[in-house]
Amino acid sequence: MATIKRRQLLSLAGAGTVLGLSACAAPARTPSTGPTGAARVVVVGGGYGGATAAKYVRLLSQYKLDVVLVEPDADFVSCPLSNLVVGGSRTLGDITRSYAGLTARHGVRVVRDTVTAIDARQRIATLATGAALHYDKLVLSPGVEMMWDEVAGLRAASREGRILQAWKAGPETGALRRQLEAMPDGGVFAIAIPEAPYRCPPGPYERASVVAAYFKAAKPRSKVLILDANEDVTSKGALFKQAWAESYAGLLEYRPQHKASAVDAATNTLKFEIQDDVRADVLNVLPPMRAGAIAVQTGLANANARWCNVNWLNFESTAARHIHVIGDAIQIAALMPKSGHMANGHAKVTAAAIVAELNGWEADPAPMLTNTCYSFVDAERVVHVASVHAYAAAERTFKPVPGAGGLSAAPNARETAYAFDWARSIWADMLE
Ligand SMILES: Cc1cc2nc3c(=O)[nH]c(=O)nc-3n(C[C@H](O)[C@H](O)[C@H](O)COP(=O)(O)OP(=O)(O)OC[C@H]3O[C@@H](n4cnc5c(N)ncnc54)[C@H](O)[C@@H]3O)c2cc1C
């Protein structure tokens, strides 16, 4: 770490507190707290990308780099498996994990706060509490922001809790489940899907499937309507359609090319650019999405003013030096899904590149990424898609490796254990 320089914490003029090195509790069991003068990596967001990046910067630097993770939520709540909470076969407790291991085992300083501004020139992140954090490198993994104004009336309906998204796992996930429980038998649940790209391509179809399974068992006169802005199912299409035909005929209806334009919360009605209005008892409307607000506000969303372009060798923003953007917030490479598994991979490539740069080493010139995504078609049966992505130096991007990966042959019960094992493994990889 000969090239690592000490960077002091700075307070912004009038910003209030300076968050010092001693401001967070010292880790109970830190392998090594790092020498005084260690460079600092600030990680924004403790989701699939950020938590992994925080742990792996510590690990790969042999606990020499100082890592601060800023996250407003007290615990990590997983979006993967959250559709099972909506479907009623799992609880929010089953998909919630603590951040304590990151501190106790890896010496990551976890600060429960929100980054409200990033000064890329001075390398300072300002927190909602007014504290200021100086960084040598900043990893930004803020997930997605809903583009409320793309669907008229949705912002207010969402704020009032009448029309939910539950596209970030947490209290809304439980609230959507309660809406479904309160719905009378014979009611209609409608889910509206925006045009791709959006967070988790198969997620809405999985949600529709597990809700259909719940209705089949508990409210058999009810109906699930999928209203998709896309031309066809965007992921695992044949497998979902097989499950719908075999298990939910007459109960679940799929309508492509239905782009939602407005909602009327008073009558629970969804309006479209072209087709007739649809009224439902429970409406789950997903608007178009873009990179998390802090990325947009910092001027990093330089792809269609929605997503963040990065240098694929180290995930550094093409708009600002020393800021590395990972996870759902980036402009994807070909066939790269916005998934937790991918965000975990982005984080590891980024952590390795940051540690290399701060040591004066060459970064890996040929990084690889993988993705596996399981979707439940009911509480017992699963389908998966997997892919491998390699950095292509000539094109300076990631490309899928032909012949690697694949799909389930059919919805099946055998892979259900794999799906739960996948979740346990990736949570441990991020947080323990
Ligand atoms: C229903 C559903 C099912 C899914 N199923 C799967 C699946 O089976 N497999 C899979 O791989 N993926 C799945 N996904 C997708 C996966 O959840 C996302 O791709 C993944 O969470 C992206 O990671 P991220 O780090 O970019 O964002 P997130 O995991 O959302 O993390 C972002 C974090 O940043 C924090 N944050 C935001 N702004 C700030 C700020 N200004 N300051 C500090 N913190 C901030 C947020 O609080 C949040 O904790 C699913 C998603 C959904 C919605």
Side-chain angles (χ1 to χ4, degrees), residues 94-154:
D94 294 330
I95 60 168
T96 301
R97 291 291 179 275
S98 168
Y99 288 113
L102 282 179
T103 304
R105 291 175 184 234
H106 301 289
V108 173
R109 293 152 205 271
V110 180
V111 176
R112 193 169 170 200
D113 210 326
T114 300
V115 172
T116 53
I118 299 169
D119 182 334
R121 203 173 48 81
Q122 308 255 18
R123 295 200 223 172
I124 294 170
T126 305
L127 310 187
T129 47
L133 276 174
H134 197 285
Y135 62 85
D136 294 272
K137 296 283 178 187
L138 185 133
V139 180
L140 190 57
S141 194
V144 290
E145 178 187 26
M146 302 290 148
M147 297 173 75
W148 300 112
D149 299 328
E150 297 290 308
V151 180
L154 188 59

Side-chain angles (χ1 to χ4, degrees), residues 38-224:
R40 162 164 299 153
V41 178
V42 169
V43 180
V44 183
Y48 274 85
T52 309
K55 172 178 159 180
Y56 274 83
V57 170
R58 287 286 291 163
L59 266 180
L60 297 176
S61 71
Q62 297 177 337
Y63 298 104
K64 293 194 175 91
L65 290 174
D66 180 31
V67 177
V68 181
L69 170 65
V70 186
E71 164 61 49
D73 293 342
D75 294 301
F76 167 78
V77 187
S78 175
C79 286
L81 300 191
S82 69
N83 280 333
L84 297 185
V85 178
V86 176
S89 65
R90 287 291 183 279
T91 65
L92 271 175
D94 294 330
I95 60 168
T96 301
R97 291 291 179 275
S98 168
Y99 288 113
L102 282 179
T103 304
R105 291 175 184 234
H106 301 289
V108 173
R109 293 152 205 271
V110 180
V111 176
R112 193 169 170 200
D113 210 326
T114 300
V115 172
T116 53
I118 299 169
D119 182 334
R121 203 173 48 81
Q122 308 255 18
R123 295 200 223 172
I124 294 170
T126 305
L127 310 187
T129 47
L133 276 174
H134 197 285
Y135 62 85
D136 294 272
K137 296 283 178 187
L138 185 133
V139 180
L140 190 57
S141 194
V144 290
E145 178 187 26
M146 302 290 148
M147 297 173 75
W148 300 112
D149 299 328
E150 297 290 308
V151 180
L154 188 59
R155 183 188 292 275
S158 175
R159 198 185 296 131
E160 291 158 12
R162 299 185 71 141
I163 298 177
L164 302 174
Q165 288 67 50
W167 217 241
K168 176 176 177 358
E172 271 208 18
T173 313
L176 181 59
R177 174 65 195 166
R178 287 190 293 279
Q179 285 189 349
L180 290 167
E181 284 171 350
M183 191 191 90
D185 190 8
V188 174
F189 166 71
I191 181 166
I193 305 172
E195 280 174 319
Y198 57 87
R199 157 172 287 183
C200 192
Y205 312 107
E206 176 186 59
R207 179 169 290 176
S209 303
V210 296
V211 170
Y214 164 60
F215 286 172
K216 193 173 173 178
K219 305 184 182 194
R221 293 190 298 114
S222 306
K223 189 164 178 181
V224 173

Side-chain angles (χ1 to χ4, degrees), residues 352-353 355-357 359-366:
V355 171
E357 187 182 333
N359 277 290
W361 305 331
E362 191 200 346
D364 180 358

